[in-house]
Amino acid sequence: MTESKADLILHPVRLKIIQALIQGRKLTRQQLSALFPDIPQATMYRHLNKLEQAGLIVVVEQRKQRGAMEKWYAIGEHAESVPNEELTAMSAEEHMELFMKFVSGLIGDFGRYVAQDEYDMQRDGISMRQTTLYLSDDEYRELFEEIKASLIRRMDNGPAPDRRRRAFTNIVIPEPKRKQEESP
């Protein structure tokens, strides 16, 4: 059975790889491993191969390095998102399964954070908040575009001694439509 694009993307390791390559970045397996030292080398190779076979990442360059070919990976066309047709065709159960995979990745990230010998949630900027807003569809789209633009301006920042990788996660869940709001 072949995995859907959503299943391929939402695996925690593969999601990290894809996120590292967005905004036109080109990285080697070694550079990806340096970004994610908690991912064993064999696991990194396995997930890179899976993403490459699915066309979600592509090899954009190869260089001979100490007798072996070093591959430079980039994100494939439209690899970072699941096509609307695929999402629309999914059942409620399949959507719940994808959401649980997504949330389990967050739980794994948080688990690795609190497994450190020492951490300070306030100093490190840990934030777990839920804000309720009442917005029209147009107001929501405007807010989403503002947030997206702000994040995009910072996505080209690479690793540096004074920088830490920080995962920003958006989960927007509108309330269910009330009966009188539904179309006849």
Side-chain angles (χ1 to χ4, degrees):
M1 180 180 132
T2 59
E3 286 183 278
S4 70
K5 187 174 181 184
D7 283 326
L8 285 163
I9 291 173
L10 287 177
H11 184 281
V13 172
R14 294 189 292 261
L15 184 58
K16 284 181 180 183
I17 293 168
I18 289 170
Q19 288 172 337
L21 294 172
I22 57 177
Q23 293 297 103
R25 289 190 188 109
K26 297 169 181 70
L27 300 170
T28 65
R29 194 265 330 139
Q30 186 175 4
Q31 290 169 323
L32 286 163
S33 291
L35 285 174
F36 309 111
D38 57 315
I39 300 173
Q41 184 173 324
T43 301
M44 180 65 76
Y45 274 118
R46 185 173 62 252
H47 289 291
L48 284 169
N49 286 333
K50 193 164 215 165
L51 288 168
E52 185 181 355
Q53 288 171 1
L56 297 177
I57 64 172
V58 293
V59 176
V60 292
E61 187 178 340
Q62 293 188 59
R63 295 182 194 161
K64 196 155 190 137
Q65 185 77 9
R66 295 186 202 127
M69 288 304 282
E70 182 177 56
K71 295 179 181 179
W72 290 77
Y73 296 97
I75 195 136
E77 191 174 341
H78 307 296
E80 70 279 5
S81 60
V82 179
N84 284 337
E85 312 81 60
E86 187 175 324
L87 288 172
T88 303
M90 291 177 156
S91 68
E93 292 80 18
E94 290 171 313
H95 281 279
M96 278 302 297
E97 185 179 323
L98 289 177
F99 186 74
M100 287 189 291
K101 285 180 183 179
F102 182 76
V103 171
S104 72
L106 296 176
I107 292 168
D109 286 344
F110 189 73
R112 282 184 289 283
Y113 173 77
V114 296
Q116 299 176 93
D117 291 336
E118 292 183 32
Y119 60 90
D120 181 328
M121 291 177 65
Q122 186 173 0
R123 179 198 68 219
D124 294 338
I126 293 289
S127 175
M128 292 179 267
R129 292 179 173 79
Q130 185 174 44
T131 303
T132 300
L133 304 171
Y134 289 89
L135 303 169
S136 69
D137 289 347
D138 288 339
E139 290 168 330
Y140 169 70
R141 279 189 284 279
E142 181 182 342
L143 175 63
F144 181 78
E145 289 302 319
E146 290 169 7
I147 293 168
K148 185 171 127 183
S150 183
L151 292 172
I152 285 172
R153 282 195 306 274
R154 292 158 178 87
M155 287 173 74
D156 282 335
N157 290 355
D162 64 334
R163 290 188 178 141
R164 292 169 66 181
R165 185 176 85 76
R166 298 173 192 270
F168 278 77
T169 303
N170 291 325
I171 300 175
V172 177
I173 304 171
E175 68 180 340
K177 287 186 174 183
R178 294 184 286 274
K179 292 293 181 192
Q180 66 268 24
E181 292 178 342
E182 293 179 359
S183 311

